[in-house]
Amino acid sequence: MTAIDPVANLSALIRCPSVTPAEGGALTALEAMLKPLGFTVDRVMATEEGTPDIENLYARLGTGGPHLMFAGHTDVVPVGDESAWTHGPFSADIAGGEMYGRGAVDMKGGIACFAAAVARHIDKHGAPEGSISFLITGDEEGPAINGTTKLLEWAAARGERWDACLVGEPTNPDHLGDTIKIGRRGSLSGTITVHGVQGHAAYPHLADSPVRGILSLTRALMDPPFDGGTDNFQPSNLEVTTIDVANKAVNVIPSKASASFNIRFNDTWEADNLRAEIIARLDRAAAESPLRPGRPPVRYDLTWSERPSHVFLTRNNALIASLSGAVEAVTGREPKLSTTGGTSDARFIKDYCPVVEFGLVGQTMHMVDERVAVADLETLTQIYETFISRWFGHAAD
Ligand SMILES: [Zn+2]
């Protein structure tokens, strides 16, 4: 039966050079796997001025509920120094039990295994009582503007509704079965600019050093800690990512200093009350500034960059239990339920249905010689197949 072998699926996908924003043939290869299984496939072009056009794919098998979505991306990051690769980045060569290629683990491998799992499920039990869909973007590694968000909006506008979603990003640090992600921290960034008065370093009373101000303000952002962590999340953490003065003269007090920061925050906070807390800290530090005794408050402005990523935590037990039970049944490992790491497209999907993430071992993602153990492809396929059976079993209860 077609698509039943994850190794063949993955080699077909890796051979398509789909570096964002290029489709590279990868969606066509996936379409060729899904159509013979009975999926209705739509290719959805998304455009926005100032960003490259992106092709995405939505495929659905079945018309009724319950409805399980598998989400992911076929685009990949650039290969880097191609001559440094042991095997070509689009070769899908197998050596020493591993398949080489950009996207092997992030995340063409996850897609290859899920397609194989669906094929096996159909082969053994026929099409599921309900629906399975693939929501696959070509814009996850790029600006992510013409990707998952727009595809979700497009599908929802057609009346698509989902009961649960599995994202196939690589979630395991060392071994297949280590970790399921059941949430993600939020992310918020900003830039502070402190305005001083330029002058001679020997006559500081005639000037006002913005460096003293920026040091007080950034310190107030880093200390004290924002919280001590929660049941499901590590403590929120703010990093000052740059401090810029750009002053070349040692005898000049500059007029301006700026600093940027990024905070990864847990479910103690929402973006709004976190912004208020940050402003309160900055105002307090500006008023007190011990580095500028007797001076008026530090003059600063603050700009928030980009849209914040909101924190989320999935509490859907049927979904989490089906997946973690499947991982344990196939690997013998009880996976950790984690919320660590960066953001992913799950942050968009969570507005439509409960979402969890589980995929391959992430060790070589984005690196030269990205590769996956061939044995892991078979194991992940079995986990996904078991998950599909269990989830539809749960949903029918
Ligand atoms: Zn990825």
Side-chain angles (χ1 to χ4, degrees), residues 269-317:
W269 305 94
E270 306 267 357
D272 283 347
N273 63 12
L274 185 58
R275 282 197 197 95
E277 165 68 16
I278 286 169
I279 291 167
R281 285 182 179 220
L282 293 173
D283 284 345
R284 218 159 36 232
E288 289 161 3
S289 187
L291 298 174
R292 303 165 66 253
R295 293 274 191 161
V298 175
R299 288 179 299 129
Y300 77 95
D301 27 73
L302 167 61
T303 53
W304 299 105
S305 43
E306 67 190 54
R307 302 161 292 175
S309 290
H310 297 282
V311 58
F312 75 94
L313 179 68
T314 296
R315 296 182 190 275
N316 186 288
N317 200 45

Side-chain angles (χ1 to χ4, degrees), residues 47-367:
T47 58
E48 182 149 324
E49 219 176 289
T51 62
D53 294 356
I54 298 281
E55 201 173 0
N56 302 289
L57 178 147
Y58 184 73
R60 179 167 177 167
L61 174 72
T63 50
H67 189 175
L68 175 66
M69 181 212 299
F70 175 82
H73 61 92
T74 48
D75 62 321
V76 295
V77 297
V79 300
D81 179 5
E82 190 159 351
S83 66
W85 285 69
T86 315
H87 299 269
F90 304 109
S91 68
D93 282 356
I94 295 176
E98 295 179 303
M99 181 181 283
Y100 285 73
R102 176 59 81 225
V105 293
D106 184 10
M107 61 159 278
K108 289 175 170 176
I111 295 173
C113 292
F114 202 83
V118 174
R120 291 181 190 186
H121 182 92
I122 294 171
D123 200 32
K124 287 180 199 158
H125 314 286
E129 298 274 327
S131 300
I132 296 181
S133 53
F134 280 72
L135 188 123
I136 306 294
T137 173
D139 190 23
E140 199 273 344
E141 305 285 13
I145 287 171
N146 291 315
T148 297
T149 359
K150 287 202 174 157
L151 192 53
L152 284 163
E153 284 165 10
W154 172 88
R158 295 198 332 170
E160 295 290 303
R161 299 290 178 268
W162 307 274
D163 297 295
C165 173
L166 170 66
V167 175
E169 290 280 7
T171 52
N172 296 288
D174 298 307
H175 302 282
L176 203 53
D178 288 339
T179 307
I180 292 173
K181 299 226 168 161
I182 57 163
R184 294 277 185 161
R185 292 178 295 172
S187 173
L188 180 66
S189 303
T191 299
I192 317 162
T193 303
V194 169
H195 303 280
V197 174
Q198 185 174 332
H200 197 302
Y203 301 89
H205 56 289
L206 300 176
D208 181 8
S209 168
V211 176
R212 290 174 178 269
I214 203 83
L215 289 175
S216 298
L217 265 51
T218 49
R219 177 173 178 136
L221 291 180
M222 293 184 280
D223 182 55
F226 281 77
D227 55 66
T230 65
D231 285 352
N232 292 291
F233 287 89
Q234 60 202 113
S236 300
N237 182 63
L238 183 144
E239 290 298 328
V240 172
T241 49
T242 181
I243 296 183
D244 299 293
V245 182
N247 177 24
K248 299 256 191 305
V250 290
N251 58 352
V252 172
I253 292 170
S255 66
K256 224 163 56 167
S258 66
S260 297
F261 61 89
N262 171 258
I263 180 165
R264 300 295 165 127
F265 59 96
N266 64 35
D267 55 351
T268 308
W269 305 94
E270 306 267 357
D272 283 347
N273 63 12
L274 185 58
R275 282 197 197 95
E277 165 68 16
I278 286 169
I279 291 167
R281 285 182 179 220
L282 293 173
D283 284 345
R284 218 159 36 232
E288 289 161 3
S289 187
L291 298 174
R292 303 165 66 253
R295 293 274 191 161
V298 175
R299 288 179 299 129
Y300 77 95
D301 27 73
L302 167 61
T303 53
W304 299 105
S305 43
E306 67 190 54
R307 302 161 292 175
S309 290
H310 297 282
V311 58
F312 75 94
L313 179 68
T314 296
R315 296 182 190 275
N316 186 288
N317 200 45
L319 177 58
I320 295 169
S322 302
L323 182 55
S324 91
V327 172
E328 213 176 332
V330 174
T331 66
R333 280 198 166 78
E334 190 185 335
K336 220 172 109 191
L337 306 181
S338 161
T339 57
T340 57
T343 61
S344 80
D345 276 0
R347 71 188 193 270
F348 306 125
I349 298 166
K350 67 111 170 49
D351 294 334
Y352 294 84
C353 65
V355 53
V356 293
E357 300 171 70
F358 184 77
L360 289 161
V361 176
Q363 267 170 10
T364 58
M365 58 186 173
H366 296 204
M367 293 170 70

